Amino acid sequence: MAEVRVGILSTASIVGKVLPGLKHGMTVVGVASRDHKKAQEFCAEHSCGEGMLYDEMLERSDVDVLYIPLPTGLRNEKILAAIAKGKHIYSEKPMGGTAKELEDLINACASKGLQWMDGTMWYHSTRTKQMEEKLRSKALGEVLRVTAAFTFKAPDEAWLQGGNGRTDKSREPMGCLGDQGWYPLSAILWAFGWILPEKVMCTHVTFNKVDTIVACAGTLWFPGNRSAVFDCGCTSPHRSQFEVVCENGLLRVDDLVGGQKRSGNFGAYETPFVGSTEYVQGDAMGKDEVISVEGCDHVNMLVDDFAACVRDIKAGGKPSDDWPKRSLLVHKVMCAVFESANKGGALVPLGSGGYA
Amino acid sequence: MAEVRVGILSTASIVGKVLPGLKHGMTVVGVASRDHKKAQEFCAEHSCGEGMLYDEMLERSDVDVLYIPLPTGLRNEKILAAIAKGKHIYSEKPMGGTAKELEDLINACASKGLQWMDGTMWYHSTRTKQMEEKLRSKALGEVLRVTAAFTFKAPDEAWLQGGNGRTDKSREPMGCLGDQGWYPLSAILWAFGWILPEKVMCTHVTFNKVDTIVACAGTLWFPGNRSAVFDCGCTSPHRSQFEVVCENGLLRVDDLVGGQKRSGNFGAYETPFVGSTEYVQGDAMGKDEVISVEGCDHVNMLVDDFAACVRDIKAGGKPSDDWPKRSLLVHKVMCAVFESANKGGALVPLGSGGYA
């Protein structure tokens, strides 16, 4: 099997979580930072190749893929440079910049035959793929309504009031909508088969003392008189769930992000992702069946999916357009919800303007 | 214990379901109908006293309470006449007429020292009362968000297209919003401690071929930057549920109406209501506990609560203002959602106009 070589563009804490997955499915060449010494120390500590500066990493001909977990505000400039150097892009979510800016990046990737994928782990689990097959085959009929949420309670007041990257708009402009909202919005678009909603509305928003979103809810209207609602934020208890209501049945998951079910094992987010071992399928009459699925490490699954794309391209194939489409659609919807939040809950149409 | 004597104003099919509860907690004097013979036959078949005409029933001095399951369009006129004759009112839900019309009926009751109660059974179960105590004591903090639904799939196309009372606006003007929407709306208002939302919006509506609502969803905005969403209708699988998210925990029920959990035992609606034996309480960290409660027959519990009110009044007390308040608030909100549905999803403010 052809080797796929990855470089890491940041020493952010998420790297520690993703690194075992990168090592599992790719060859880690090294880590880049603004600070050469910091990069070297990180590599020594984590046994992950050479430490180097950003520009050195971009010039390396032995790097196929760049994993880019930089903060959203800094990320797009680096991604653009990486695409120019012919690197496949594995970008952490949420996306940065405007919908148009992201579309340009994704088009640049496509035009150079490069793969784009974002770091949404749950897409890649065995469970998700099994449910996806049921939804796409219309085994339960058309999807009619989706309800999705990802919330957890801020550990303390300082964290809530800007002490975390999620609660400080200078680090994450969309705050908890960007960070946590990505999951329910991605689940909704996934369930609806990656079509764009016609319009969205932010129906609830809470800002903290530094004017950053810490809780958010909204409604999405889909073609065919169908709709979805979501909520996210760090002001209420841990919930990580979706319900997909179809014409003749439903699917439910209560551990969308973490895989630990409703066990209260919040620490499962800090350890390798093994879980997502079951989901609920209900029939038209309200009879539930708990369906068991083999557990898996989402990060390993993601890296495997990415490596398969790169190998395919190396063998003469084209990049998959599924993964970049997902990033773009979730980002478009999120930007529209953010616009609605900033306009006091106005209806924001999609399919035109910045969200074509 | 003082006898409480009830007369029944209709031979509708729901009487068969409620009758055992009426016999359990009150003395059934008889049944009234437009047709004397029909009433007599019904009484003979169900062993429930004398058959008589409506006006005869109103004149009976040995009737304390009238149980009134007439269709919403016919009901208010009969209720008004019954109040004039000094009868306590046990009205089936949903309510009929405008919010103002209902308020006048309820005020008329209060001014004559008569008890008003609607037929929402789930308020009266042991489970509901236990959860209510937790919510009112703020054991889990303030209620932040509620999601509630009651849906079931129409048994066939004829039923869906006007063949049932719920799907024919000449019989139930609000269609499935009136019939099924009553449950999630009542659950939301119950969870928020019977305060009026500031505004509502119908976010989804499906009409059938006879221009009657067969599916509906909406958002409710409550004081304190809090919100709720609901959906109802007969175009999707059976769901009968709510989730009350508080600051430090949550409560969940998946058998709001029927008490049969997610067993698929749809027929449980046709038999006496024994159930509601458990609910889920989650903590801030996402750990769930299933809390068991003694099962009970909701109808018996409702009739017992009503009879207790009447006995209290007979002993010189005043009517409870809790039950009429519940009817009025749910009806006000439902009328506002219906108005929004008819205005293409416009925001409808409450607390003013017809919804003061």
Side-chain angles (χ1 to χ4, degrees):
Chain A
M1 214 159 52
E3 191 183 34
V4 174
R5 299 158 303 182
V6 61
I8 299 170
L9 229 61
S10 166
T11 54
S13 62
I14 194 172
V15 174
K17 188 160 140 188
V18 174
L19 195 52
L22 292 175
K23 286 180 179 176
H24 150 89
M26 299 182 180
T27 302
V28 181
V29 175
V31 175
S33 168
R34 274 172 305 183
D35 178 335
H36 200 256
K37 190 157 168 281
K38 193 171 163 192
Q40 285 177 316
E41 282 168 4
F42 186 91
C43 290
E45 188 188 342
H46 294 89
S47 308
C48 54
E50 291 175 49
M52 60 192 96
L53 294 170
Y54 286 143
D55 289 345
E56 292 176 303
M57 176 69 85
L58 293 183
E59 296 300 332
R60 292 282 292 240
S61 60
D62 61 345
V63 170
D64 302 303
V65 175
L66 282 177
Y67 170 57
I68 306 168
L70 291 165
T72 50
L74 306 171
R75 201 189 298 143
N76 287 0
E77 187 198 328
K78 290 281 185 292
I79 291 177
L80 196 62
I83 294 168
K85 296 292 180 183
K87 310 301 184 196
H88 301 282
I89 304 296
Y90 169 9
S91 170
E92 261 313 330
K93 33 89 204 150
M95 301 294 108
T98 63
K100 175 69 172 62
E101 196 175 324
L102 179 65
E103 195 156 22
D104 288 345
L105 287 181
I106 282 174
N107 287 341
C109 255
S111 71
K112 298 196 78 163
L114 298 169
Q115 186 63 50
W116 170 285
M117 190 186 284
D118 72 50
T120 312
M121 298 165 185
W122 75 271
Y123 294 156
H124 302 270
S125 72
T126 313
R127 176 173 75 177
T128 300
K129 289 176 179 175
Q130 186 177 115
M131 288 189 290
E132 195 171 305
E133 205 175 295
K134 287 185 183 178
L135 293 173
R136 300 297 174 265
S137 71
K138 314 258 190 241
L140 309 175
E142 290 288 347
V143 173
L144 298 178
R145 183 172 175 85
V146 180
T147 304
F150 182 40
T151 59
F152 56 78
K153 184 102 178 165
D156 55 53
E157 188 65 14
W159 197 103
L160 179 67
Q161 301 299 348
N164 183 272
R166 296 167 180 84
T167 58
D168 170 9
K169 68 177 179 181
S170 75
R171 288 180 275 175
E172 174 47 63
M174 299 194 208
C176 284
L177 168 61
D179 180 70
Q180 294 172 283
W182 185 267
Y183 290 93
L185 289 176
S186 64
I188 289 167
L189 289 164
W190 167 82
F192 276 101
W194 301 107
I195 57 172
L196 201 60
E198 294 164 337
K199 56 185 181 178
V200 305
M201 184 182 184
C202 175
T203 53
H204 170 92
V205 65
T206 304
F207 293 95
N208 66 9
K209 290 177 184 169
V210 295
D211 199 29
T212 304
I213 293 177
V214 290
C216 186
T219 300
L220 289 70
W221 285 265
F222 284 88
N225 196 20
R226 305 179 296 163
S227 60
V229 290
F230 80 96
D231 73 280
C232 63
C234 60
T235 60
S236 54
H238 181 264
R239 293 149 64 236
S240 173
Q241 61 203 35
F242 64 73
E243 179 192 44
V244 180
V245 180
C246 304
E247 290 169 300
N248 302 312
L250 54 82
L251 298 177
R252 271 205 317 271
V253 155
D254 63 6
D255 56 357
L256 167 60
V257 183
Q260 71 272 34
K261 301 174 202 165
R262 296 278 308 160
S263 67
N265 181 13
F266 205 69
Y269 286 111
E270 308 303 325
T271 54
F273 266 52
V274 177
S276 306
T277 54
E278 55 188 48
Y279 63 99
V280 171
Q281 183 171 333
D283 71 8
M285 295 300 280
K287 182 175 173 58
D288 278 350
E289 187 185 354
V290 176
I291 299 187
S292 293
V293 184
E294 200 180 344
C296 60
D297 182 322
H298 298 195
V299 185
N300 286 353
M301 300 289 280
L302 185 156
V303 173
D304 286 350
D305 283 343
F306 201 149
C309 289
V310 174
R311 284 191 192 100
D312 195 44
I313 295 165
K314 283 187 173 189
K318 287 190 170 177
S320 159
D321 58 5
D322 182 34
W323 306 113
K325 182 177 71 182
R326 294 182 182 210
S327 304
L328 190 57
L329 283 170
V330 180
H331 188 57
K332 278 183 176 175
V333 170
M334 184 169 282
C335 288
V337 172
F338 187 58
E339 183 180 328
S340 177
N342 289 323
K343 289 180 173 172
L347 271 172
V348 174
L350 283 101
S352 65
Y355 312 111
Chain B
M1 216 159 52
E3 192 183 33
V4 175
R5 299 157 302 181
V6 62
I8 301 170
L9 228 61
S10 164
T11 54
S13 63
I14 193 172
V15 175
K17 189 161 138 186
V18 173
L19 196 52
L22 292 176
K23 286 181 178 176
H24 150 90
M26 299 182 181
T27 302
V28 181
V29 175
V31 174
S33 167
R34 275 172 305 183
D35 179 335
H36 200 256
K37 190 158 169 281
K38 194 172 164 191
Q40 285 177 316
E41 283 168 4
F42 186 91
C43 290
E45 189 187 341
H46 294 90
S47 309
C48 53
E50 292 173 49
M52 60 193 97
L53 295 171
Y54 287 142
D55 290 344
E56 291 175 304
M57 175 70 84
L58 293 182
E59 296 300 333
R60 292 283 290 239
S61 60
D62 61 344
V63 170
D64 303 303
V65 175
L66 282 178
Y67 170 56
I68 306 167
L70 292 165
T72 50
L74 305 173
R75 201 189 299 143
N76 287 359
E77 187 198 327
K78 287 284 185 291
I79 290 177
L80 196 61
I83 294 169
K85 296 291 180 182
K87 310 301 183 196
H88 301 283
I89 304 295
Y90 169 9
S91 169
E92 263 312 331
K93 33 86 202 156
M95 301 294 109
T98 63
K100 176 69 172 60
E101 196 175 324
L102 179 64
E103 195 157 22
D104 287 346
L105 287 181
I106 282 175
N107 287 340
C109 256
S111 71
K112 298 196 78 165
L114 298 169
Q115 185 64 50
W116 170 285
M117 190 186 283
D118 72 50
T120 311
M121 297 165 185
W122 74 271
Y123 295 155
H124 301 271
S125 73
T126 314
R127 176 173 75 177
T128 299
K129 289 177 180 176
Q130 186 178 116
M131 287 189 291
E132 195 171 303
E133 204 175 295
K134 287 185 182 177
L135 293 173
R136 299 298 174 265
S137 73
K138 316 259 188 238
L140 309 174
E142 289 288 347
V143 173
L144 298 177
R145 184 173 174 84
V146 180
T147 304
F150 182 41
T151 58
F152 57 78
K153 185 102 179 164
D156 56 53
E157 189 65 12
W159 197 104
L160 179 66
Q161 302 299 347
N164 183 272
R166 296 166 179 84
T167 59
D168 171 8
K169 69 177 178 181
S170 75
R171 286 179 276 176
E172 174 46 63
M174 299 195 208
C176 284
L177 168 61
D179 180 68
Q180 294 172 282
W182 185 268
Y183 291 93
L185 289 176
S186 63
I188 289 168
L189 288 164
W190 167 82
F192 276 102
W194 302 106
I195 57 172
L196 200 62
E198 294 164 337
K199 56 184 179 177
V200 305
M201 184 183 184
C202 175
T203 54
H204 170 91
V205 65
T206 304
F207 293 96
N208 66 8
K209 290 177 183 168
V210 294
D211 199 29
T212 304
I213 293 177
V214 291
C216 185
T219 299
L220 288 71
W221 285 265
F222 284 89
N225 197 20
R226 305 180 297 162
S227 60
V229 290
F230 81 95
D231 73 281
C232 64
C234 61
T235 60
S236 55
H238 180 264
R239 294 148 64 235
S240 173
Q241 61 203 36
F242 64 73
E243 179 193 43
V244 180
V245 180
C246 304
E247 289 169 300
N248 302 312
L250 55 82
L251 299 177
R252 271 206 315 272
V253 155
D254 64 5
D255 56 357
L256 168 60
V257 183
Q260 72 271 34
K261 301 175 202 163
R262 297 277 308 160
S263 67
N265 181 13
F266 205 69
Y269 286 112
E270 308 303 326
T271 54
F273 267 51
V274 178
S276 306
T277 55
E278 55 187 49
Y279 63 98
V280 171
Q281 182 170 334
D283 71 9
M285 296 301 279
K287 182 173 172 60
D288 278 350
E289 187 185 353
V290 176
I291 299 186
S292 293
V293 184
E294 200 179 344
C296 60
D297 183 322
H298 298 196
V299 185
N300 286 352
M301 300 288 279
L302 185 155
V303 173
D304 286 348
D305 283 343
F306 201 147
C309 289
V310 174
R311 283 190 192 101
D312 195 43
I313 294 165
K314 283 188 173 188
K318 286 190 171 180
S320 159
D321 58 4
D322 182 35
W323 306 113
K325 182 177 71 182
R326 295 181 182 211
S327 303
L328 189 58
L329 283 169
V330 180
H331 188 56
K332 278 183 176 176
V333 170
M334 183 169 280
C335 288
V337 172
F338 187 59
E339 182 179 329
S340 177
N342 288 324
K343 289 181 173 171
L347 272 172
V348 174
L350 283 102
S352 64
Y355 313 110

